[in-house]
Amino acid sequence: MKVEQPILGSTGTLFFLVVVSAFPPLTTDLYLPALPTMVETLNTTQTMVNLTLSVYFVAYALGLLFWGPLSEKFGRKPIMLFGLGIYVIASLLCALSNNIEMLIGARLLQAFGGSAVTVVATAIVKDLYDGREREKIMATIMSLVIIAPMVAPVLGAFLLKIGSWHMMFYALAIFGAISTLLTVFYRETLQHRYTGSVLRSWGRIAVVTNNPRFVSQLAIFTIPPMTLMAFLAAGSYIYIDGFGLSEQMFSYAFAFNALVASFGPSIYMKLSRTIAVQKIITVSFIILMFLGVLTYSIGHLSPWIFAFLAAPATLVVIATRVPGINLMLDQQSGDTGSAVAVIQFCSMMAGAIGMTLVSLRPDDLIHNLGIIQFSIGAIVSLLWFMVKKRPFVVDNIPKQQDHI
């Protein structure tokens, strides 16, 4: 660790990073079991309810670009505290919403505040850790964060059974308040702040995007989340409306998906001790293509077949996130906040596109998802093949002996 955390300590710091990194999955997955119910209670359509997801991700992505550079100028801690304050207020507004328009507006504000938390959390990881240690920490955080989408739908289904969907957003407000308390005990990790103006700090995004090595990796590793978000948007409708599962059964199926995905980072870490990272990434992308074909052809036969295809598809995407993010960050020596903002922005925008594409034919969601999985796997496989032997990739990927 480059900066000691006297109050939190090393274990407390890891716990803090896991909690604040859990914002995206918890904020979206908690109320997934309620989506079909919300269509009826809010007297609206499936398309409008889905906007609470897709609009959230678009606003979240734009918020990342806003907060990332500011964290380089004002520090990580002030930006995170400010974002958490917005998030808690917005969560309460979501809970008090009595129509779909108010809910969508409150979700926009919730996304704006939550994006500050995400971008700062990732920047803190780079502030504190280097190289192989950073890769281990990222893998640990990703593995533990997956607990959020495992627990969130189950908790959401329970809250839906004893109350209404409004309670889910009260729960998110409480989560935001707990995160705020942890942030108070965090010591600032940014050692050298940007001294230019606020406008110039936002201009650092252009500096980052003018780095061709960074952009080449960006184009590869921020597209696969499109498949995850497509599954996120379609999952509840496929399981509940399509297969006829209850909200509780859906939550278990979703938790199974998250459980399998949680092994992705650790599987990558173990395989990378003996297998070249380039090969692991290549095979992962090919597997995603193959699973897309299977989802399209047999995914509709039963909820169990669909679940056993969706889970490994999620796993391979999560597994490539560890080397992908590490490789992208290594292409940019400075402007960490801006680099993280661009990475997260592109991932979120890809996710929003995935949510939109999978809903284009609402009566054929499984086929839509299969097409998206195959297409994304094919595109990133081609792009990865073009750069995987380039010096700026080879020189920044740990060799097998570095993983022992």
Side-chain angles (χ1 to χ4, degrees):
M1 294 175 62
K2 301 176 186 177
V3 178
E4 294 296 329
Q5 297 291 314
I7 299 179
L8 294 175
S10 58
T11 303
T13 299
L14 180 60
F15 176 74
F16 163 68
L17 290 172
V18 169
V19 170
V20 295
S21 298
F23 265 76
L26 193 64
T27 307
T28 54
D29 298 350
L30 185 66
Y31 81 113
L32 287 181
L35 290 181
T37 301
M38 291 168 70
V39 174
E40 181 180 350
T41 58
L42 290 172
N43 191 28
T44 185
T45 64
Q46 175 182 325
T47 301
M48 289 297 290
V49 171
N50 269 5
L51 276 178
T52 65
L53 284 170
S54 56
V55 166
Y56 176 91
F57 279 102
V58 172
Y60 198 94
L62 294 173
L64 293 166
L65 296 180
F66 178 85
W67 297 112
L70 291 184
S71 74
E72 294 289 317
K73 179 171 178 58
F74 297 107
R76 314 298 190 206
K77 186 172 182 175
I79 296 300
M80 183 172 284
L81 286 172
F82 195 71
L84 282 166
I86 295 174
Y87 179 88
V88 171
I89 293 172
S91 296
L92 293 174
L93 290 175
C94 287
L96 296 172
S97 298
N98 53 17
N99 59 67
I100 191 63
E101 291 80 14
M102 181 178 176
L103 181 60
I104 291 173
R107 286 283 285 174
L108 282 170
L109 187 62
Q110 189 185 42
F112 184 64
S115 62
V117 183
T118 299
V119 73
V120 170
T122 308
I124 289 173
V125 172
K126 185 168 185 194
D127 290 344
L128 291 174
Y129 309 100
D130 284 318
R132 175 61 175 162
E133 185 182 13
R134 185 170 70 221
E135 197 174 57
K136 289 180 180 178
I137 291 296
M138 284 194 298
T140 302
I141 291 173
M142 287 182 190
S143 296
L144 294 175
V145 164
I146 295 293
I147 294 174
M150 288 171 58
V151 174
V154 178
L155 176 60
F158 171 75
L159 293 174
L160 193 61
K161 184 172 291 186
I162 64 173
S164 69
W165 60 265
H166 300 273
M167 294 182 64
M168 302 175 187
F169 290 103
Y170 284 120
L172 290 176
I174 294 172
F175 176 71
I178 294 172
S179 300
T180 302
L181 181 62
L182 289 173
T183 304
V184 170
F185 294 110
Y186 149 73
R187 172 178 284 185
E188 179 62 56
T189 52
L190 182 64
Q191 296 178 313
H192 305 288
R193 299 190 182 189
Y194 179 67
T195 56
S197 66
V198 171
L199 288 178
R200 285 184 176 273
S201 69
W202 282 318
R204 303 305 298 176
I205 290 176
V207 175
V208 172
T209 54
N210 281 333
N211 179 349
R213 297 176 302 173
F214 176 79
V215 172
S216 69
Q217 302 308 295
L218 192 71
I220 297 169
F221 293 107
T222 60
I223 298 177
M226 185 184 294
T227 64
L228 301 185
M229 296 302 104
F231 170 74
L232 191 71
S236 60
Y237 299 105
I238 290 173
Y239 282 117
I240 298 173
D241 294 340
F243 290 120
L245 271 61
S246 66
E247 287 87 353
Q248 197 71 45
M249 287 300 295
F250 158 70
S251 71
Y252 295 148
F254 199 84
F256 168 74
N257 184 279
L259 175 63
V260 173
S262 68
F263 292 104
S266 58
I267 288 174
Y268 160 74
M269 295 299 289
K270 290 179 180 178
L271 290 178
S272 61
R273 294 173 184 171
T274 55
I275 302 174
V277 173
Q278 290 95 324
K279 290 183 180 179
I280 297 174
I281 295 173
T282 300
V283 172
S284 295
F285 291 156
I286 293 174
I287 290 175
L288 183 61
M289 292 174 56
F290 179 66
L291 290 170
V293 173
L294 291 179
T295 299
Y296 183 90
S297 57
I298 63 173
H300 63 283
L301 296 180
S302 82
W304 317 118
I305 291 176
F306 178 76
F308 277 95
L309 292 174
T314 305
L315 183 148
V316 295
V317 173
I318 294 294
T320 58
R321 292 283 288 171
V322 177
I325 292 178
N326 202 37
L327 187 57
M328 285 185 283
L329 290 176
D330 280 335
Q331 306 302 323
Q332 192 69 32
S333 58
D335 296 307
T336 301
S338 296
V340 170
V342 172
I343 292 170
Q344 299 284 3
F345 170 81
C346 291
S347 296
M348 291 295 175
M349 288 304 296
I353 293 171
M355 287 179 163
T356 302
L357 291 177
V358 79
S359 301
L360 288 180
R361 295 183 301 168
D363 296 328
D364 208 9
L365 293 175
I366 293 178
H367 284 167
N368 296 349
L369 183 60
I371 292 171
I372 292 172
Q373 289 171 338
F374 174 81
S375 301
I376 295 303
I379 291 170
V380 294
S381 293
L382 178 61
L383 294 175
W384 177 243
F385 180 78
M386 294 170 61
V387 303
K388 66 179 182 179
K389 293 183 179 179
R390 299 286 183 89
F392 63 86
V393 172
V394 176
D395 294 344
N396 285 295
I397 287 185
K399 307 300 184 291
Q400 281 83 357
Q401 58 266 29
D402 298 329
H403 289 258
I404 299 175

